[in-house]
Amino acid sequence: MSTTVPKTTDPSGSQQAREIRESVVVRFAGDSGDGMQMTGSQFTIETALAGLDLTTFPDYPAEIRAPVGTTFGVSAFQIHFGSVDVKTAGDEVDVLIAMNPAALKVSLANLSLGGTIVADTGSFSERNLLKAGYDANPLEDDTLAPYQVIPLDITRLTMSAVEGFGLSKKEALRCRNMWALGLMLWMYDRDLTATTAWLTKKFASRETLAQSNNAALIAGHAYGETAELSGNLVGYRVKDADLPPGQYRTITGTEAIVWGLVSGLRSAGLERLVFGSYPITPASPVLHALAKMRELGVYTFQAEDEIAAICSAIGASYGGALGVTSSSGPGIALKTEAIGLAVSVELPLVILNVQRAGPSTGLPTKTEQSDLFQAVYGRNGDTPVAVLAAATSIDCFDVAREAVRLATKYMTPVILLSDGYLANAAEPWLIPDLDALEDWPARQRTDPEGFQPFEHDPETLARPWAVPGTPGLMHRIGGIEKEQGSGHISYDSANHQAMTDLRVAKIANIANDIPEQDVALGDRTGTLALVGWGSTFGPINKAVEQARERGQSVSHIHLRYLNPFPANLASLLDGFEKILVPEMNAGQLVTMLRSRYLVPAKGLNKVTGQPFKISDVASAIDAALE
Amino acid sequence: MTTTIPQQLKPKDFASDQEVRWCPGCGDYAILKAIQKTLAELEVAPERTVFVSGIGCSSRFPYYMSTYGFHTIHGRAPGIATGLKLANPDLDVWVITGDGDGLSIGGNHLLHVLRRNVDLQIVLFNNEIYGLTKGQVSPTSRIGTKSPTSPQGSIAHPLSPVAVALGAGARFVARAIDIDQKHLIEVLTAAHAHRGASFVEIFQNCPVYNDDVFHDFTDRANAPDTQLHVEHGKPLRYGKDGNRGIRLKPGALDVEAVVIGQNGITEDDILVHDQTNKTLAGLLGTLRPPEFPEVLGVLYNDPIDSYEMQVAALGAAGNDVSLNDLIRKTRTWTVA
Ligand SMILES: Cc1ncc(C[n+]2csc(CCOP(=O)(O)OP(=O)(O)O)c2C)c(N)n1
Ligand code: SF4
Ligand SMILES: [Mg+2]
C-alpha cells in the first residue's frame, strides 16, 4: 500500500536542487491540557538564550474548554528558529511533536514532505484515535509514509521518571510536556538551566511538583542522549517539486549503506557477506540492520572488540565470502594493524567508518570529517588502500556498491567514509530497480594448473583469490613479506622493493577504472572552485548555486574518490585560479591536494559538530573572490 | 559414477616444501611431527584443512604444513579463524598460538572464541616465555623467572592456561607434552573429534630461552611419579608401581595425593576420572609437582552445540529472495 503525492512540475528537477535548511520549524502540538504553550515558550527562551533568531506562532484552540482529545481541542506552539534572519513562523513544519492523535491529525497538513514526527505512542489509544477521527492507527499504516516517524512512549517514560514523587496519575501525566521539552532541548543542543530555574519558581509552593517536572525534563533530555537520537533532526530536504515520478521511500545513510552492501554482494556473485563489528556510535545501526538480513546471506558477528571484528571479516574474505567491518574513528584506530595485514595478504575487505568528532572519544553524537588522514595514511609501512566517501544519504548506496566492486576486483581493503550526519539524515529516495544494476562477478581461482598465490593479474595487479576448500590450491599466506609469485616468505630486499611498488601501483591503477572527475555544479573552468567531499555536499552546492545566481564565477567539485584521486583531477583543478576546500576538519583534503598537485588551495574549516551553513560557505566565497 | 579413491597420505605429505627454521632442539619440531602424524592417521583432506596462527616462534607453524595456512597478526588468530568458519563452516580449522600470543596480547580473543565454542582445534604452545622476541617473561612464566625484562626475577603470578580455558567456558580442555609423541597424538585426535572449540595446551621446551623449565615432570626417568595421564572412567592413578593416586581430601573440597596401602588407603579411595565433570577438571588442572603429579590428557570433554551449529540454526539465505521486494517492504509512496 502506498500513498500518492501529487507531483508539481519543476523543470530543474535534478539532484542538485537539494535544499539545505538554515532554519528549522518545530511545532509542539497536544491537547489543551497538555501544556503545549508553556512548553513552546520555554523552548523559545532556551533558543533565544542560545543566540538564535526566531519567530513563534502560538496556535490556541478556539474553544476554551474543548473536549479532551478532539481535533478542535488541539493546542500548538510553533517556533521557527535559525542562525539567519528568521522572518516568518515558517510555512511548513519540519519537526512535529504530536502528544496525541488529534494533534497529529490537525498538524499534518503543514508538515513538510520528509519532515519528522515525534509521536507519543502512549496516547494513541483506540479511544483517542476515534476522537481524532482516525479509524486506523496512522503510526501503523502508510498514512505517514512520506515522513520520518519517531514513535516514543512518552507517557510511559514520563510515568517512570516521576515515579518516586507520590504524584496522582493525573499530576504525573501532566509532566509529559516537560519530558518532550527535555528531548527537544537535547536535540537542538540547548541548555536546561533556565527551564530548571523557571520550574523551581513556578512551583515554589509545591516542591514535589517542581522536582517531578524537573525530573521529567531531565529524563527526556537524558533519553535523547542515551538513545543517541540524531542531534540534527532536520537538515537536507528535497523540495517535492524536484521529485521525478516513481515509487519512493525514505532512506537514511545507514539504510543506504546496508542496501548498497547487500546489492554489491549480489553483483559480485558471492553467497555470503560476513559483517564483523563492535558497537559504537554512530556506526552501530548498520550492524543492527544487517543482523536482520540472514535471508540475504548476511552473517553478522558482534565481536569482542574492533580488532576481532576486522579479523573476522578478513578471515571471512580469506574463506571466500565478502568480509565487511564497520566502526567510527576510535574503533578504526584499533583496526589499523589488521588493515595492514589485509593489504599485505591482498584480500578483499570493506571497512566502513561512520565518522564522528574526535580526537579520542570526542563528541560521539556530533558529525565531523576528521578521519580522512587516518583512512588514507593511517598505517605502518607503505600501506595504500582505496578510500571512498559518500556525499549524501542516497549516495551511500552507490558508494557501498562501489566499495564492494573495487575490493573484490582489486583484492584490496577499501575504506568507505560516511559520517554521523549522513547516518541519520533521511532523504526521499526514488527506489531503483535492483535487478537492473550492473553485475561484476568476483573471480575465485579453481584451476591448480600453474597456480601461484602471489602472481598478479597484469591488468588489475590483483592476486588470485584462492579459497580454502579448493583442491590443489593449498598455500600459505601471512603478514611477512612474500616472494612475488610463490608467496613464500622472503627477506630479499629487491623483492620487498618490487612488492611495495606493486601494492602502491595496484591502488594507483584504480584511477583508470573510475569515472573522470566532473563538476557537481558550474563551469569546468573559472575563477574559483570549491572542492568538497562527504556530507558537506548540500551546503557547498547551495552556496555555489546562490553565488552563481549573483554572477560569481564559482564551481563546485565534489570528490567521491579520495584514494586514488580521479586521473583528471589535476587538469580540472588547473582550470581555476583559486581553490577553496570546505571541510569539517582542521584541513585534511586541502593538505592532500596541496601536496599532491602543488596547487594553492585554501581551506574553509569548521569543527563545531554541526554541518556547514550555506552562509558560512557563501561568505568564504565572497572573501575568496574579493 | 566414478569415485576416486584418495591416496593414503603419509605424515610427510603434510609437510610443506619450506625449510623449518626453529632453533635446533626446539620442542616445536616434535609438535609439528605429531600434528602431521595425526592428520595422516585421521586421513583428513589437506584442501579442507587450514592452520591459522598469530605471531611467535610457534605461530610460524602454518608455513611448514602442506595444507592451507594463514600466519596472521599477534594474538588475533581466533578472530580470523572465526570469520573463516562463518564463511565456510565445513573447513577443518586449527589455531596455533603461544603463551604470549594466546594469553597476553590475544587473551581477550581466546576467552571469546572458547565461550562461543567455535569448532576449532586451538593448540597453545606453552614455553612460558616469549621466544621470538628473545626471551622476555610471558603470562605463564613462573614467579622469579629472570629475563631481559625481569632481571631480578618476575613478580607477577602466572596464568594457568587450563584454568583460563575452563573459566571461559571451553568444552574440551586437554594437556600434553611436546616430546611425548604417542600421548600427544592421542590428545590431538580427541581434540579433533570434539565438535566445538577444543583447547590443547602443550608444554613446549624452548632450549634457547627457557630450557628445561618443565623438567620437574618431563624428565623421563621420573615421569611415572610426576605425570598422571587421565582416562575417562579410569581411576586417577600414577607412579612407578601404579600405587599412587588422587583422592578427595576428607572434609574439604580439595584433593590430595595418596599411596595405596599406606595410612589405610585402598583402591576404592582413588577418584575415578570423569571428563564431563568441570569441577574435577579445574582441580586437576591446578595440581603441580612436587606435591602432585602434573595431570595430562583430556581433563574435560563435555560437548554442546558448536557456534557453527547455532549460527546455522538461525536460518540460511533464502533461494529466491527478491531484493526489489525487500527494499520496498517499508513505507513507500508514489509520485505521479
Ligand atoms: C603487535 C605486535 N606486538 C609485538 C610483537 C612482537 N612479538 C612477536 S612474537 C611475540 C611474543 C611471542 O610469544 P609467544 O606467543 O609465547 O610465542 P613463542 O615465540 O614463545 O612461540 C612478540 C611480543 C608483534 N609481532 N606484534
Ligand atoms: S627461541 Fe625457543 S621457542 Fe623459539 S624456535 Fe628457538 S627454541 Fe624454539
Ligand atoms: Mg611462548
Side-chain angles (χ1 to χ4, degrees):
Chain A
M1 265 224 320
S2 48
T3 344
T4 299
V5 178
K7 185 198 164 211
T8 31
T9 37
D10 174 354
S12 79
S14 75
Q15 272 266 323
Q16 288 159 10
R18 196 162 290 132
E19 190 184 39
I20 180 88
R21 306 297 304 261
E22 289 195 316
S23 61
V24 169
V25 180
V26 174
R27 186 179 174 94
F28 295 92
D31 196 68
S32 307
D34 285 342
M36 290 297 100
Q37 301 307 320
M38 224 156 67
T39 310
S41 316
Q42 210 46 46
F43 187 80
T44 305
I45 290 168
E46 299 284 11
T47 303
L49 288 175
L52 294 162
D53 192 14
L54 59 90
T55 306
T56 63
F57 174 40
D59 195 2
Y60 306 100
E63 274 96 333
I64 299 195
R65 289 226 180 274
V68 180
T70 57
T71 49
F72 38 96
V74 170
S75 163
F77 188 100
Q78 188 166 317
I79 168 170
H80 182 194
F81 60 92
S83 51
V84 291
D85 264 6
V86 174
K87 298 214 170 68
T88 69
D91 299 331
E92 286 190 318
V93 174
D94 298 300
V95 180
L96 169 67
I97 295 88
M99 301 300 282
N100 68 8
L104 176 70
K105 182 128 197 190
V106 296
S107 309
L108 216 47
N110 291 326
L111 190 61
S112 67
L113 198 60
T116 300
I117 300 167
V118 178
D120 178 9
T121 57
S123 70
F124 277 62
S125 64
E126 224 173 289
R127 236 184 95 196
N128 282 346
L129 287 165
L130 217 65
K131 281 198 227 167
Y134 280 120
D135 27 49
N137 188 343
L139 299 177
E140 285 164 13
D141 61 27
D142 288 320
T143 314
L144 306 177
Y147 312 105
Q148 245 191 300
V149 182
I150 304 181
L152 291 174
D153 196 343
I154 297 177
T155 300
R156 189 182 52 78
L157 289 163
T158 305
M159 295 297 271
S160 64
V162 302
E163 207 172 50
F165 294 99
L167 303 184
S168 70
K169 186 167 177 206
K170 205 168 155 196
E171 285 171 325
L173 283 174
R174 284 196 150 169
C175 299
R176 289 192 311 146
N177 63 334
M178 285 302 120
W179 197 98
L181 177 60
L183 181 71
M184 293 317 289
L185 289 174
W186 182 83
M187 280 184 173
Y188 288 100
D189 232 352
R190 304 279 185 272
D191 213 330
L192 296 181
T193 335
T195 308
T196 306
W198 168 74
L199 282 171
T200 316
K201 214 169 131 195
K202 179 174 163 66
F203 295 111
S205 58
R206 285 200 59 189
E207 212 185 304
T208 38
L209 280 186
Q211 286 170 349
S212 51
N213 272 287
N214 202 38
L217 177 79
I218 291 168
H221 194 266
Y223 184 88
E225 197 160 334
T226 45
E228 300 192 340
L229 293 177
S230 160
N232 303 297
L233 270 184
V234 169
Y236 299 113
R237 253 172 11 95
V238 175
K239 293 188 219 160
D240 31 336
D242 300 330
L243 300 174
Q247 194 181 14
Y248 282 77
R249 56 166 287 172
T250 57
I251 196 156
T252 62
T254 297
E255 290 165 336
I257 294 241
V258 164
W259 285 109
L261 288 173
V262 170
S263 157
L265 179 74
R266 291 254 169 133
S267 286
L270 297 170
E271 272 168 33
R272 287 191 186 205
L273 187 158
V274 175
F275 189 86
S277 192
Y278 184 81
I280 186 169
T281 301
S284 313
V286 177
L287 174 59
H288 303 171
L290 284 166
K292 296 184 212 129
M293 294 193 158
R294 175 62 57 80
E295 60 180 326
L296 295 174
V298 176
Y299 290 74
T300 52
F301 174 62
Q302 182 186 328
E304 57 272 22
D305 61 20
E306 283 88 349
I307 301 171
I310 186 170
C311 284
S312 69
I314 293 171
S317 284
Y318 174 55
L322 174 64
V324 184
T325 188
S326 69
S327 192
S328 192
I332 300 292
L334 286 174
K335 296 179 196 288
T336 304
E337 187 194 11
I339 298 174
L341 175 69
V343 169
S344 177
V345 296
E346 302 180 43
L347 281 170
L349 178 68
V350 176
I351 303 141
L352 166 67
N353 181 355
V354 187
Q355 299 166 93
R356 64 190 222 185
S360 188
T361 303
L363 300 168
T365 60
K366 301 292 180 186
T367 196
E368 209 164 277
Q369 304 181 292
S370 43
D371 298 344
L372 180 58
F373 281 170
Q374 182 193 42
V376 177
Y377 304 119
R379 285 164 295 282
N380 59 306
D382 288 308
T383 317
V385 301
V387 180
L388 313 178
T392 65
S393 298
I394 290 173
D395 194 39
C396 286
F397 178 80
D398 291 333
V399 177
R401 277 178 51 84
E402 181 69 342
V404 176
R405 182 183 77 91
L406 294 177
T408 51
K409 180 168 176 183
Y410 292 92
M411 297 288 284
T412 179
V414 177
I415 295 182
L416 198 174
L417 296 172
S418 165
D419 64 35
Y421 178 76
L422 291 182
N424 296 312
E427 289 184 90
W429 187 36
L430 175 61
I431 312 171
D433 177 1
L434 299 186
D435 295 336
L437 298 174
E438 193 191 344
D439 285 335
W440 8 262
R443 279 183 296 171
Q444 292 183 343
R445 172 95 183 203
T446 50
D447 182 9
E449 191 60 36
F451 169 66
Q452 294 249 72
F454 281 81
E455 184 179 51
H456 296 86
D457 181 282
E459 193 202 322
T460 61
L461 301 181
R463 78 174 186 96
W465 195 356
V467 171
T470 316
L473 298 188
M474 288 84 77
H475 65 285
R476 276 62 56 191
I477 62 173
I480 302 180
E481 186 62 279
K482 290 147 290 288
E483 184 181 72
Q484 207 169 356
S486 75
H488 294 321
I489 290 181
S490 167
Y491 297 101
D492 181 79
S493 49
N495 178 72
H496 179 56
Q497 178 79 53
M499 288 295 277
T500 301
D501 292 347
L502 189 139
R503 287 184 287 259
V504 170
K506 178 166 89 168
I507 299 303
N509 179 42
I510 291 175
N512 301 315
D513 190 21
I514 59 178
E516 287 215 330
Q517 184 65 44
D518 202 352
V519 289
L521 184 63
D523 304 317
R524 291 177 64 93
T525 55
T527 311
L528 175 65
L530 263 64
V531 184
W533 66 282
S535 73
T536 51
F537 182 92
I540 298 177
N541 202 260
K542 192 74 189 173
V544 168
E545 184 189 290
Q546 290 172 358
R548 292 182 62 80
E549 280 164 13
R550 288 193 299 270
Q552 290 172 312
S553 170
V554 191
S555 297
H556 176 195
I557 297 169
H558 212 76
L559 300 180
R560 169 185 284 184
Y561 299 90
L562 294 153
N563 198 43
F565 286 131
N568 68 324
L569 185 58
S571 63
L572 185 62
L573 294 178
D574 248 6
F576 294 90
E577 283 165 43
K578 295 176 178 182
I579 297 165
L580 180 66
V581 184
E583 291 177 273
M584 295 187 286
N585 60 41
Q588 300 192 10
L589 177 62
V590 70
T591 304
M592 286 169 62
L593 293 176
R594 288 173 65 98
S595 71
R596 174 72 195 271
Y597 299 116
L598 303 176
V599 288
K602 295 217 168 77
L604 169 60
N605 303 96
K606 175 173 172 174
V607 283
T608 59
Q610 300 291 326
F612 273 105
K613 298 203 176 80
I614 299 166
S615 55
D616 297 337
V617 183
S619 29
I621 292 175
D622 290 342
L625 291 176
E626 244 169 38
Chain B
M1 208 176 78
T2 50
T3 30
T4 34
I5 294 157
Q7 246 188 324
Q8 170 84 52
L9 295 173
K10 304 201 171 52
K12 68 168 175 32
D13 295 323
F14 284 94
S16 74
D17 57 354
Q18 295 298 290
E19 189 194 334
V20 184
R21 297 202 186 195
W22 288 308
C23 306
C26 176
D28 291 353
Y29 284 97
I31 304 173
L32 178 64
K33 219 169 102 191
I35 290 185
Q36 289 170 344
K37 264 179 121 166
T38 306
L39 296 188
E41 280 175 17
L42 292 172
E43 300 183 20
V44 303
E47 71 267 17
R48 281 191 45 245
T49 306
V50 190
F51 283 84
V52 181
S53 65
I55 298 289
C57 296
S58 35
S59 287
R60 291 294 176 95
F61 192 94
Y63 289 116
Y64 308 135
M65 298 295 295
S66 66
T67 60
Y68 281 94
F70 197 170
H71 179 225
T72 70
I73 43 178
H74 202 15
R76 320 301 178 190
I80 304 251
T82 302
L84 180 58
K85 291 286 278 183
L86 279 170
N88 183 357
D90 296 333
L91 295 173
D92 187 5
V93 181
W94 299 71
V95 168
I96 304 293
T97 183
D99 42 316
D101 190 69
L103 292 167
S104 196
I105 193 165
N108 188 25
H109 309 308
L110 185 64
L111 293 181
H112 291 279
V113 77
L114 291 172
R115 118 183 133 77
R116 292 188 186 109
N117 202 31
V118 184
D119 186 15
L120 305 164
Q121 293 76 246
I122 302 168
V123 186
L124 187 144
F125 296 17
N126 184 7
N127 55 10
E128 296 190 1
I129 207 79
Y130 285 6
L132 192 71
T133 46
K134 303 198 188 305
Q136 301 85 352
V137 281
S138 94
T140 55
S141 299
R142 292 150 205 222
I143 287 188
T145 301
K146 289 201 169 156
S147 85
T149 52
S150 55
Q152 295 162 283
S154 62
I155 50 179
H157 278 275
L159 282 175
S160 153
V162 159
V164 168
L166 288 169
R171 308 300 299 200
F172 181 102
V173 178
R175 225 154 48 176
I177 297 170
D178 52 4
I179 49 170
D180 189 347
Q181 287 285 295
K182 186 171 158 289
H183 183 250
L184 177 52
I185 291 170
E186 279 170 26
V187 165
L188 293 169
T189 304
H192 189 264
H194 172 257
R195 286 299 215 97
S198 315
F199 180 79
V200 180
E201 176 192 6
I202 303 179
F203 297 110
Q204 175 244 321
N205 192 38
C206 168
V208 176
Y209 296 112
N210 212 10
D211 193 23
D212 255 354
V213 69
F214 304 116
H215 76 97
D216 47 357
F217 63 92
T218 54
D219 271 359
R220 284 190 199 275
N222 305 325
D225 285 332
T226 55
Q227 297 177 8
L228 193 168
H229 292 255
V230 296
E231 267 185 79
H232 183 59
K234 299 268 173 69
L236 295 166
R237 285 172 69 159
Y238 66 107
K240 259 194 276 300
D241 311 317
N243 63 343
R244 306 178 71 172
I246 305 292
R247 75 155 186 171
L248 270 181
K249 205 179 206 168
L253 184 58
D254 205 354
V255 291
E256 61 184 354
V258 292
V259 181
I260 297 166
Q262 279 182 14
N263 303 324
I265 302 284
T266 71
E267 269 181 46
D268 294 345
D269 290 319
I270 306 302
L271 273 172
V272 171
H273 184 49
D274 174 3
Q275 67 180 13
T276 66
N277 184 332
K278 189 165 167 174
T279 312
L280 179 62
L283 274 172
L284 296 178
T286 59
L287 308 183
R288 295 228 94 171
E291 195 190 342
F292 288 101
E294 189 78 32
V295 183
L296 303 162
V298 180
L299 303 185
Y300 185 57
N301 184 1
D302 189 16
I304 52 169
D305 281 358
S306 69
Y307 185 68
E308 291 86 334
M309 289 155 89
Q310 297 180 63
V311 168
L314 295 179
N319 276 333
D320 279 319
V321 188
S322 156
L323 285 192
N324 265 333
D325 287 351
L326 280 180
I327 204 163
R328 287 167 176 79
K329 250 196 188 165
T330 178
R331 295 166 176 207
T332 64
W333 71 96
T334 304
V335 173

